[in-house]
Every structure is written in C-alpha cells, then in structure tokens.
C-alpha cells in the first residue's frame, strides 16, 4: 500500500483535471467536438497503457495507510471504445456490508476485463467520458447460486484526461455505484450515495 492519503489523491486529481465537462449540462455554449477533433483526440490517445489503479483499502497493520495500488493495463482501440484489463473486482469485497457470505464470494473473484464506451468531449486538454459495462456474475453462496451485478456511474462521474506533457499523461476515474443481487438493488455498502472510486494513471 502506498503511504499517502486517498483524499489527497482526489484533491490532486480534481485540481489537475479541472473537468469542465461536468458543467456541460448547464453550459449552453458547449457545442461538442467536430468529427475531425474527435479523430485528433483518438490519434493522440490510442494504444495500450501500462499503469496503476489506486483505491481505498484497509490496512490492519497500519491504520494510517488507507489505499492500495495495483498494476493495471488499458487500451483505447477506437474513437469510442476502451478496454481495461486486470480490473481488481475482489477489491470491492471490502466494501460489502451486512452479508458476509457474499463478501467472501466476491473476495475470491479474479481480475476482470472491462469494456467501456468513451466519448471525447474536449480537445485541449483531451478529456473523455467513460461508460463501463456492468460486471455480471453467478456466485454460489448461502447454499444457492445468485446473479450478482456491479454497475458503474457513467459520464460526468467516470471520465479521463490525457496530456502528453504531464507526469501522468493519462488519468482516469471510475466509480462503482450499485450492487444488484438476483435483479434487486441492494444496500450492502455500495450505493449511489456511497460509491467506490478507482483512480487510474500511467507514468511518462
């Protein structure tokens, strides 16, 4: 685990990214990118990235250490699609409350490939919205098999930025905002009011 606070990371992200597209709903002057601008953004960002993902995690050996960092890869392959490899789904187990058997089942899950839709919204700096697919599972716990699904926040909550001159050329954040079991939304610790953030970055 890294020896820095997650709150500090979030503050740095928000200050650095200044993601003005979050205001696009109320900013009538925003016209979107032209097809040529979208292609310019895509050509600048396409390819495979080797980076890190940071998320809140409990360290019982050091209560001051509140995050964990893992290696992760992602690839932008078209102007509307991105794939994240080795997404650490089992990290969500720590957030599960009120259902220890479900928590244990999630803790055994292998890293997952996550397909995402993306939409470039600004060209200077390059910024894009992210729409991750749901994570669907059939997990056996409590004596039966259950359909378990994690859903992400889309668009203004999940987004990325690219700057070739920055220490971290690409930075992104994804939020897991809902947990469904057998088709029903649960309150087992992951909700829209208590989402789980994952911050991605790569080095130059």
């Amino acid at each position: 685990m890294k020896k820095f606070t997650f709150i500090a990371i979030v503050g740095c992200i928000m200050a650095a990214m200044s993601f003005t597209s979050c205001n696009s709903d109320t900013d009538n002057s925003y016209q979107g990118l032209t097809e040529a601008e979208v292609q310019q953004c895509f050509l600048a960002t396409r390819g495979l990235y080797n980076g890190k993902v940071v998320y809140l995690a409990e360290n019982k050996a050091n209560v001051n250490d509140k995050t964990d960092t893992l290696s992760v890869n992602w690839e932008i392959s078209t102007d509307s699609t991105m794939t994240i490899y080795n997404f650490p789904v089992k990290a969500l187990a720590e957030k599960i409350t009120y259902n220890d058997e479900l928590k244990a089942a999630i803790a055994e899950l292998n890293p997952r490939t996550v397909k995402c839709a993306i939409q470039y919204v600004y060209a200077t700096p390059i910024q894009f919205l992210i729409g991750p697919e749901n994570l669907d599972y059939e997990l056996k716990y409590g004596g039966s098999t259950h359909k378990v699904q994690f859903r992400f926040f889309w668009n203004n909550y999940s987004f990325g930025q690219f700057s070739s001159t920055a220490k971290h050329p690409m930075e992104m954040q994804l939020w897991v905002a809902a947990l469904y079991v057998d088709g029903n939304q649960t309150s087992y610790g992951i909700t829209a009011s208590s989402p789980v953030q994952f911050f991605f970055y790569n080095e130059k």
Side-chain angles (χ1 to χ4, degrees):
M1 291 191 180
K2 296 290 185 181
K3 294 183 178 180
F4 45 71
T5 68
F6 196 70
I7 292 176
I9 295 173
V10 174
C12 291
I13 299 166
M14 300 308 294
M17 298 183 77
S18 299
F19 201 70
T20 54
S21 68
C22 292
N23 296 323
S24 61
D25 290 339
T26 57
D27 184 0
N28 294 326
S29 66
Y30 179 74
Q31 300 296 318
L33 299 181
T34 66
E35 184 175 342
E37 288 172 325
V38 169
Q39 286 304 304
Q40 177 185 350
C41 292
F42 168 60
L43 292 175
T45 57
R46 70 178 175 179
L48 181 65
Y49 294 80
N50 300 311
K52 303 290 185 182
V53 57
V54 186
Y55 54 90
L56 285 173
E58 180 183 0
N59 183 352
K60 295 181 179 179
N62 180 2
V63 295
N64 294 319
D65 185 3
K66 300 184 183 300
T67 66
D68 208 349
T69 304
L70 298 174
S71 296
V72 67
N73 305 315
W74 62 92
E75 183 176 15
I76 294 179
S77 52
T78 76
D79 62 10
S80 60
T81 59
M82 176 176 68
T83 304
I84 299 173
Y85 305 100
N86 303 319
F87 182 80
V89 183
K90 69 178 183 180
L92 295 168
E94 187 174 304
K95 311 304 177 183
I96 302 300
T97 57
Y98 309 121
N99 193 322
D100 290 341
E101 291 179 323
L102 172 59
K103 182 174 185 175
I106 294 172
E108 295 299 319
L109 293 175
N110 292 322
R112 175 77 174 262
T113 295
V114 181
K115 296 181 179 179
C116 306
I118 61 172
Q119 178 185 358
Y120 295 100
V121 291
Y122 283 94
T124 307
I126 296 174
Q127 298 173 333
F128 53 95
L129 306 178
I130 304 173
E133 68 178 357
N134 298 330
L135 302 179
D136 295 319
Y137 294 93
E138 289 194 358
L139 300 181
K140 188 173 183 179
Y141 64 91
S144 60
T145 300
H146 300 271
K147 293 182 179 180
V148 176
Q149 182 185 79
F150 296 100
R151 297 185 184 183
F152 292 83
F153 274 140
W154 276 45
N155 296 335
N156 288 347
Y157 289 94
S158 294
F159 57 81
Q161 177 168 294
F162 176 83
S163 174
S164 61
T165 60
K167 178 181 178 181
H168 301 153
M170 186 170 290
E171 296 179 333
M172 306 185 296
Q173 67 172 13
L174 302 183
W175 293 86
V176 180
L179 170 61
Y180 283 71
V181 175
D182 297 328
N184 299 310
Q185 189 170 0
T186 74
S187 57
Y188 296 154
I190 300 175
T191 64
S193 61
S194 184
V196 182
Q197 184 189 40
F198 292 86
F199 170 58
F200 299 77
Y201 68 92
N202 72 320
E203 302 282 357
K204 290 188 68 173

